């Protein structure tokens, strides 16, 4: 499963992202900006 | 298409096409590319990929929580899954807005894997007892029969053969495979068919 880690640009999100990358090494985790959301 | 920040905004699947950009081989072969699908622009190929946005799940959807897991049927033919997670921790497991940073997004990743596994298990277990008895009594090939049974999930004979061998299951005693065996098999098939 591919994880799109959305809202990486929100303060505090980068710490959560780094923890998740360590916790789920078997998954492909891609950061995404909140501003890239479809509108 | 409705876009909003409340749970279950998406109910019916939304289908669209996205494009993967790759360098085209036209430069190497010194020809002009004319692709049958997608398009080519200034040496860059835009390869079309069909995308389906489906309704979200909540923990225990396979037990009927939230709107259940009926929407998962929309994923049967998918070659891969992309799970969009709010990494800022501002949405809880039910898709409700909470204080930013207060929710652990790792929970979403864990529970979705479980829900997909349980969905696969439900499909495998449907009529399993009769299916297993018939295979065993009539000495049918379990690999072919199970692959045919699960072809809708894109499970192939090679996958079934490999999983059975790795799990060291007795192909001649299918009716004695345990619930845990079937769950382990569901997890393996999910990993291979929906990477």
């Amino acid at each position: 499963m591919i994880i799109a880690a959305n809202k990486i640009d929100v303060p505090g999100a980068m710490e959560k992202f780094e923890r998740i990358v360590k916790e789920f090494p078997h998954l492909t985790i891609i950061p995404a900006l909140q501003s890239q959301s479809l509108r | 298409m409705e876009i909003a920040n409340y749970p279950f905004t998406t109910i019916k699947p939304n289908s669209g096409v996205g494009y993967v950009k790759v360098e085209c081989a036209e430069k190497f072969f010194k020809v002009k590319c004319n692709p049958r699908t997608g398009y080519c622009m200034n040496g860059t190929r835009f390869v079309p990929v069909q995308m389906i946005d489906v309704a979200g799940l909540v923990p225990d959807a396979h037990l009927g929580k939230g709107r259940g897991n009926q929407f998962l049927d929309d994923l049967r033919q998918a070659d891969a899954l992309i799970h969009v997670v709010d990494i800022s921790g501002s949405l809880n497991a039910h898709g409700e807005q909470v204080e930013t940073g207060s929710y652990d997004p790792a929970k979403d990743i864990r529970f979705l894997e479980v829900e997909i596994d349980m969905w696969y298990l439900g499909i495998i277990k449907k009529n399993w007892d009769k299916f297993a008895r018939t295979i065993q009594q009539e000495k049918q090939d379990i690999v072919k029969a199970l692959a045919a049974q699960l072809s809708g999930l894109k499970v192939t004979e090679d996958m079934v053969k490999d999983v059975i061998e790795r799990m060291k299951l007795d192909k001649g005693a299918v009716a004695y495979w345990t619930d845990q065996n079937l769950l382990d098999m569901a997890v393996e098939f999910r990993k291979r068919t929906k990477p």
Side-chain angles (χ1 to χ4, degrees):
Chain A
M1 198 177 308
I2 299 160
I3 306 296
N6 196 24
K7 301 190 188 175
I8 192 77
D9 47 340
V10 170
M14 186 56 85
E15 288 77 25
K16 286 187 188 296
F17 174 78
E18 286 168 354
R19 193 168 52 77
I20 277 175
V21 168
K22 279 185 194 153
E23 191 176 338
F24 300 94
H26 59 292
L27 296 178
T28 304
I29 304 176
I30 299 165
L33 298 173
Q34 191 173 18
S35 56
Q36 285 175 325
S37 302
L38 291 173
R39 300 213 181 273
Chain B
M1 181 171 72
E2 192 177 350
I3 299 173
N5 65 345
Y6 59 83
F8 301 114
T9 308
T10 301
I11 294 177
K12 288 183 181 171
N14 297 304
S15 184
V17 176
Y19 293 88
V20 177
K21 288 195 282 185
V22 291
E23 191 180 353
C24 186
E26 68 174 11
K27 288 179 197 164
F28 180 80
F29 291 109
K30 295 188 173 71
V31 293
K32 181 63 200 146
C33 174
N34 183 25
R36 274 185 291 178
T37 57
Y39 56 96
C40 185
M41 202 162 57
N42 301 327
T44 301
R45 275 289 307 274
F46 289 74
V47 181
V49 179
Q50 189 187 10
M51 314 280 285
I52 305 172
D53 169 33
V54 301
L57 292 180
V58 298
D60 290 333
H62 69 282
L63 299 175
K65 293 278 172 64
R67 289 176 177 261
N69 64 1
Q70 56 185 303
F71 307 108
L72 288 177
D73 279 342
D74 298 321
L75 299 177
R76 273 179 193 268
Q77 287 300 313
D79 294 312
L81 298 183
I82 301 174
H83 182 189
V84 181
V85 173
D86 182 334
I87 205 75
S88 71
S90 53
L91 289 178
N92 67 17
H94 300 277
E96 298 156 340
Q97 200 88 34
V98 293
E99 189 185 343
T100 299
S102 64
Y103 182 72
D104 180 5
K107 290 181 183 171
D108 283 1
I109 298 173
R110 282 188 219 109
F111 96 68
L112 189 70
E113 281 192 334
V114 170
E115 291 304 325
I116 307 270
D117 291 342
M118 298 312 286
W119 172 51
Y120 268 52
L121 179 63
I123 293 168
I124 291 172
K125 286 185 82 171
K126 201 174 176 186
N127 301 320
W128 176 261
D129 291 344
K130 189 180 172 199
F131 171 80
R133 268 200 314 273
T134 305
I135 297 290
Q136 200 166 311
Q137 284 166 2
E138 297 179 6
K139 294 190 169 32
Q140 290 182 26
D141 182 348
I142 180 61
V143 171
K144 283 189 176 159
L146 194 52
Q149 184 96 330
L150 302 177
S151 61
L153 292 171
K154 296 202 163 184
V155 173
T156 65
E157 286 186 24
D158 284 346
M159 284 181 202
V160 176
K161 186 169 177 277
D162 191 46
V163 168
I164 288 175
E165 282 173 7
R166 279 170 186 264
M167 290 177 60
K168 298 184 170 57
L169 294 172
D170 184 350
K171 286 195 271 189
V174 178
Y176 294 100
W177 292 2
T178 64
D179 283 354
Q180 186 61 49
N181 291 151
L182 299 185
L183 175 59
D184 293 343
M185 203 160 26
V187 172
E188 280 303 314
F189 288 146
R190 187 264 302 164
K191 284 180 181 170
R192 290 162 192 240
T193 57
K194 303 282 182 273

